[in-house]
Amino acid sequence: MLTFPNNFLWGSAASAPQTEGHSLLNGKSLTTWDKWFELNPEKFNEKQGPKDTSNVYEFYADDIKRMKEIGMNSYRTSISWARLLPDGKTLNKEAVAFYRDYFEKLNESGVKPIINLFHFDMPWWLMEKGGWEASESVTAFAFYAKTAFEEFGDLVEEWTTFNEPLVHIECGYLYGFHYPAIVDFKKAIQVGYHTLMAHVLSVKAFKEIKAKGRIGIILNVTPTYARSDSNEDQQAKKAADLLVIKSFLDPCVLGTIPNELIELLKEHDLIPVTKTGDKENIEMYPVDFIGINYYQPMRVKAPENPVKPAVTTTDLFASYDWPDKRINPYRGWEIYPEALYDVAMMMKNEYHNIPWFVSENGMGVAEEERFMDESGMIQDDYRIDFMKEHLTQLHRGIDEGSNCFGYHTWTFVDCWSWLNGYRNRYGFYRVDLENNFERTLKKSGIWFKELSQNNGF
Ligand code: BG6
């Protein structure tokens, strides 16, 4: 039996744009997702757009009962910026009422809300002004964050600013997966810097108004693994570490941007525009805790035919296809639970053992109806095995002193996933798209309840 620390958080994560639905209703303004779907629906799996998603806007009260049914004691979701402040300034009263009732009901049910502020959902009014490229985005976000702390601070004690900031940077400005889908390294770094400062100024606002509770950020960091010990591969690993791990973890936890990262950016003419006082604010406003989303490791090797200055990340490190890898064929992601132990040790040894939790971990599987039994329940043993393997590695890390306080899966009910629509399913509950988003419990939900009740397995 592997037992976890007292008061360990067992729960799931989701986000406003992926679950709420009512995306064009109730006073919400458009996000880049709503607009992109309007412009290019063919880009989305089976033309499944962000309009209705899993209709949590209507079903939240029953969903919270379902959370209880599977032993969840915590839940992370986000507020939609475009719903709360449709024009960036004016409060949408209906949104306030919706979120207040949602968070109140979570608290009443003993499901601790962890509330995030940005999950890839840039309001369209701001995107038209340049989105994260524009310095206005920093102050606009800090205003939104302060508004959220003021409106919901009596109901929420655990806040996070961003989910996976690297994703909107990489997917929007380097790899073409998110709007505006452009490839421009310099812009990507500027977008990253503005995101970092939006985070820092939100932490500052949180501390200045003396909001109760704690504030953190959710990062998709994982130790990187180099193909070999050769100097070239190790150099590639170093660049990857700086860009995808230390770029946010260091300023957010240690209050500094690593010198080596600044040197690397200088070398490639990528230094962003900064403002007086930024450095001091980064130093003064570290986070109280970190959330780490972990799905797959990052394997790197020396770049092939790199150009200088670098045009994109592959001029600094290339991705290495490890021949011994195990793969989740539906998502194409490597399964490597050992990395969770390495993350735990990294947080302990390099980030002064700051409190942290696994804020997402999960397995997306397509066409899950293949695994439905006669009673209609999906027998997702693969998901149970996936969780067991990852929890075993996490437990090793905790045993060796890492300060981890929870484990959240992605996700609670199957949800909409950006360009992938509803292709890959991750939930403890199946969502029936043909039948008004009806929820049905999967076998993994029953296992999760035992896990939470026993505080281990
Ligand atoms: C995380 C994101 O990176 O992975 C979620 O925070 C996302 O928004 C999840 O849905 C699973 O990835 P995907 O692309 O299969 O939905």
Side-chain angles (χ1 to χ4, degrees):
M1 172 91 186
L2 299 179
T3 306
F4 285 79
N6 289 339
N7 303 319
F8 205 67
L9 295 186
W10 297 108
S12 283
S15 73
Q18 292 176 271
T19 58
E20 275 177 13
H22 283 227
S23 150
L24 308 174
L25 300 168
N26 311 89
K28 183 181 155 298
S29 65
L30 300 181
T31 66
T32 48
W33 294 98
D34 301 315
K35 193 70 187 174
W36 206 16
F37 184 66
E38 186 187 307
L39 297 172
N40 295 104
E42 73 287 350
K43 282 189 182 292
F44 294 71
N45 175 62
E46 296 184 18
K47 296 195 180 160
Q48 290 163 336
K51 187 165 154 279
D52 300 321
T53 59
S54 304
N55 201 5
V56 161
Y57 198 89
E58 288 177 33
F59 297 162
Y60 64 95
D62 285 336
D63 273 351
I64 293 168
K65 290 184 191 143
R66 292 184 185 99
M67 292 176 197
K68 287 296 287 177
E69 266 166 40
I70 59 166
M72 283 169 53
N73 61 20
S74 47
Y75 182 59
R76 192 245 306 185
T77 188
S78 65
I79 293 173
S80 160
W81 185 357
R83 189 184 297 286
L84 189 66
L85 296 170
D87 61 2
K89 295 190 187 87
T90 320
L91 202 56
N92 172 4
K93 294 273 164 50
E94 186 175 332
V96 174
F98 162 62
Y99 288 119
R100 286 199 64 82
D101 197 44
Y102 194 174
F103 303 158
E104 251 162 33
K105 286 198 163 56
L106 283 165
N107 283 321
E108 282 162 16
S109 308
V111 181
K112 184 195 269 287
I114 300 179
I115 300 305
N116 181 46
L117 295 171
F118 188 87
H119 202 120
F120 317 157
D121 49 343
M122 169 58 74
W124 185 251
W125 65 264
L126 184 52
M127 191 71 222
E128 282 187 304
K129 297 178 171 187
W132 292 115
E133 281 181 61
S135 65
E136 184 184 337
S137 61
V138 177
T139 43
F141 186 82
F143 174 76
Y144 155 55
K146 184 163 176 275
T147 308
F149 304 147
E150 285 166 352
E151 293 300 320
F152 311 114
D154 57 328
L155 300 174
V156 178
E157 292 194 356
E158 307 275 338
W159 290 93
T160 58
T161 53
F162 284 84
N163 176 77
E164 301 186 347
L166 281 181
V167 169
H168 69 254
I169 301 163
E170 291 175 338
C171 292
Y173 295 86
L174 287 174
Y175 308 145
F177 300 134
H178 290 188
Y179 195 87
I182 52 181
V183 180
D184 188 322
F185 210 167
K186 187 134 186 154
K187 279 187 182 172
I189 297 294
Q190 187 67 58
V191 161
Y193 187 75
H194 283 152
T195 304
L196 174 66
M197 290 318 300
H199 158 82
V200 168
L201 292 193
S202 304
V203 176
K204 184 177 184 189
F206 186 84
K207 300 290 175 186
E208 280 178 354
I209 64 169
K210 297 194 168 39
K212 70 171 180 178
R214 305 190 291 179
I215 188 155
I217 186 167
I218 304 226
L219 302 174
N220 49 324
V221 289
T222 156
T224 55
Y225 303 95
R227 172 178 58 180
S228 75
D229 287 339
S230 76
N231 195 26
E232 294 77 10
D233 284 347
Q234 290 299 319
Q235 278 300 110
K237 173 178 157 50
K238 194 168 179 183
D241 280 344
L242 287 169
L243 280 166
V244 302
I245 298 182
K246 292 172 182 287
S247 54
F248 276 89
L249 253 187
D250 279 28
C252 292
V253 179
L254 307 176
T256 51
I257 296 178
N259 278 335
E260 284 177 310
L261 176 58
I262 297 173
E263 287 311 313
L264 183 75
L265 296 180
K266 272 191 192 149
E267 207 182 311
H268 292 276
D269 188 25
L270 292 169
I271 290 286
V273 178
T274 62
K275 285 210 164 103
T276 321
D278 285 356
K279 192 165 177 274
E280 291 70 22
N281 279 327
I282 294 172
E283 257 167 46
M284 280 175 70
Y285 297 104
V287 291
D288 301 319
F289 71 95
I290 286 285
I292 290 193
N293 293 353
Y294 175 68
Y295 291 89
Q296 58 166 343
M298 182 167 185
R299 300 200 182 271
V300 294
K301 63 181 181 185
E304 283 149 20
N305 312 315
V307 298
K308 200 166 178 189
V311 172
T312 182
T313 51
T314 49
D315 292 315
L316 301 171
F317 55 90
S319 121
Y320 170 53
D321 190 10
W322 185 38
D324 295 337
K325 68 180 181 299
R326 246 194 316 153
I327 200 103
N328 166 5
Y330 312 101
R331 192 61 184 82
W333 285 348
E334 183 181 339
I335 299 178
Y336 188 69
E338 291 85 343
L340 215 37
Y341 168 79
D342 293 338
V343 166
M345 290 299 102
M346 177 179 78
M347 296 310 284
K348 180 181 170 200
N349 299 328
E350 294 172 43
Y351 293 96
H352 61 66
N353 215 8
I354 186 170
W356 70 282
F357 77 120
V358 176
S359 39
E360 283 182 31
N361 178 231
M363 188 177 179
V365 172
E367 295 165 9
E368 272 199 315
E369 56 282 2
R370 288 172 294 155
F371 305 106
M372 199 178 271
D373 68 11
E374 312 79 61
S375 72
M377 180 179 277
I378 306 268
Q379 300 292 311
D380 52 346
D381 295 271
Y382 41 84
R383 184 163 289 116
I384 299 171
D385 292 343
F386 182 95
M387 288 188 282
K388 278 185 183 165
E389 284 191 77
H390 284 81
L391 283 168
T392 302
Q393 294 298 331
L394 179 63
H395 192 270
R396 263 178 78 206
I398 295 173
D399 243 12
E400 291 181 30
S402 189
N403 197 2
C404 175
F405 62 85
Y407 175 79
H408 276 194
T409 66
W410 187 269
T411 182
F412 159 57
V413 293
D414 288 344
C415 69
W416 176 81
S417 170
W418 323 112
L419 295 185
N420 279 334
Y422 273 90
R423 183 164 54 214
N424 297 315
R425 305 300 187 96
Y426 286 85
F428 288 129
Y429 285 86
R430 177 169 177 78
V431 160
D432 187 350
L433 300 181
E434 312 292 309
N435 197 7
N436 192 28
F437 301 102
E438 193 185 73
R439 280 79 158 128
T440 323
L441 185 61
K442 302 181 195 174
K443 185 176 177 184
S444 56
I446 298 176
W447 184 81
F448 196 78
K449 181 175 193 164
E450 283 166 25
L451 172 72
S452 156
Q453 278 175 343
N454 298 327
N455 201 31
F457 67 100

